[in-house]
Amino acid sequence: MDSLETRELRYFVAVAEELHFGRAAERLGMAQPPLSRAIQQLERRIGVCLLERNRRGVRLTGAGEVLLHEGRAALDATTAAARRTRRAGGADTPGGRNRLVLAVKAAGSHELLQKLLDAYAAEPDAAEIEVLPCGMCEQEGILRDGRADVALMHAPFNSLAGFDSEELMTEEQVAILPAGHPLAARKTLSLADVSDVPDLPLARWPRHGTYPPGPGPEIHDQTQLAQLIALGRTVAVFPDSARAWLWTEHTAVPLTDAPPVVTHIAWPAHSRSLALAGLIRTATQLCRARGWSTRRSA
């Protein structure tokens, strides 16, 4: 047996995540006995034990761990396929117009984004573009699960693994400080200058749902960060394009030793969307016309 049904995967993932048949059955909206029978049938068909059951509860076997990982990915892929197909067919757009969702980091690459949207809108038969602002490093997950068709990603912060991409622009990084802080009067700074300031700890952004250790405040959104910097409570390191959202209470100072940030336009490797191909073509042409280098990566 080398094929699985989506229903079977949903059942197994629910049990594997809950490690309790009763809770899994409640989550699935079904009775427990048929769920137990379905999992037993799945184990017989595959020919391996997926769950160890005893009086203390349920736990995954090594094979069950593999199927949980692979099953989640498969279910995400089917959900993503349905979402992108509906958008491509105009199922949720007035008039049935093709629509693309573009995931971007909130307040990131503002100039590039505006010029790209304007240039693409002028193309014949351009699809409708919905811009989906994201938090720090959220574009990857949103692109994988089909909530977006394409994303502006920033290396080294975002992972491009599994995506096709085009490099659009490279920019240096700056420290964003309260305008009245002594460091704000400097012409340049180093990462060491801003990483250990007793009265101005570095802001902390979540990575994969967890915050790195440190004394700085945990940042949830761009507005919170802007206010905390203005109040003299934190400092942040951003690409130079972040100057577009600075307040008068902020100052941006170039960093001499921070790695450059490379902005990519990224999309699922298997995509066959003509509208998406048109948007990517517009992005690369725009960046070449402005003298930004473009290089294919995967």
Side-chain angles (χ1 to χ4, degrees):
M1 197 283 295
D2 56 3
S3 64
L4 294 170
E5 297 178 3
T6 303
R7 176 183 57 85
E8 293 176 312
L9 287 177
R10 281 197 303 108
Y11 287 180
F12 173 74
V13 168
V15 174
E17 290 180 344
E18 299 291 343
L19 291 178
H20 190 281
F21 277 89
R23 289 195 299 268
E26 183 178 355
R27 169 174 154 182
L28 292 165
M30 63 187 298
Q32 181 175 334
L35 175 60
S36 297
R37 289 194 296 271
I39 297 300
Q40 291 170 357
Q41 183 181 7
L42 174 62
E43 289 178 314
R44 286 195 297 270
R45 289 181 60 214
I46 295 179
V48 296
C49 178
L50 300 171
L51 299 165
E52 291 184 356
R53 309 158 180 85
N54 55 45
R55 286 178 293 180
R56 290 178 295 178
V58 177
R59 76 179 188 89
L60 289 169
T61 65
E65 292 279 1
V66 171
L67 185 58
L68 175 59
H69 175 77
E70 297 288 348
R72 282 169 171 163
L75 291 174
D76 284 346
T78 58
T79 300
R83 285 171 171 167
R84 293 191 176 108
T85 300
R86 284 182 59 83
R87 285 197 296 270
D92 52 0
T93 305
R97 186 182 179 191
N98 194 353
R99 180 168 65 96
L100 293 173
V101 175
L102 171 60
V104 300
K105 183 170 73 91
S109 305
H110 177 76
E111 180 184 6
L112 169 62
L113 177 60
Q114 186 61 63
K115 291 185 181 300
L116 172 57
L117 294 175
D118 290 344
Y120 181 68
E123 292 291 324
D125 301 320
E128 177 184 337
I129 301 294
E130 176 186 338
V131 177
L132 179 60
C134 308
M136 187 74 167
C137 299
E138 288 183 347
Q139 303 99 302
E140 177 186 348
I142 289 172
L143 188 55
R144 290 193 193 282
D145 70 14
R147 283 176 287 169
D149 303 286
V150 60
L152 293 183
M153 311 265 269
H154 310 281
F157 306 113
N158 299 127
S159 171
L160 297 167
F163 300 121
D164 281 348
S165 66
E166 289 279 359
E167 180 181 310
L168 298 182
M169 62 179 289
T170 302
E171 56 185 320
E172 302 304 320
Q173 297 198 69
V174 296
I176 301 176
L177 306 112
H181 195 276
L183 289 177
R186 300 265 296 271
K187 291 187 176 180
T188 61
L189 293 167
S190 68
L191 286 171
D193 292 330
V194 298
S195 63
D196 191 23
V197 183
D199 61 334
L200 206 65
L202 275 167
R204 292 183 293 141
W205 292 91
R207 295 290 182 89
H208 306 295
T210 60
Y211 286 88
E218 295 182 353
I219 301 302
H220 307 290
D221 57 54
Q222 198 78 33
T223 301
Q224 176 204 18
L225 174 65
Q227 185 172 37
L228 289 175
I229 295 175
L231 292 172
R233 302 301 178 89
T234 191
V235 59
V237 174
F238 267 82
D240 188 72
S241 57
R243 294 176 187 269
W245 59 261
L246 296 190
W247 299 358
T248 55
E249 296 92 343
H250 302 152
T251 296
V253 180
L255 291 167
T256 57
D257 58 349
V261 175
V262 183
T263 299
H264 300 254
I265 187 168
W267 65 96
H270 59 269
S271 177
R272 296 296 182 268
S273 167
L274 295 178
L276 176 57
L279 179 64
I280 295 162
R281 183 172 57 252
T282 299
T284 56
Q285 290 173 347
L286 171 66
C287 292
R288 289 191 183 106
R290 292 184 62 83
W292 295 326
S293 62
T294 57
R295 182 171 68 244
R296 182 61 177 263
S297 54

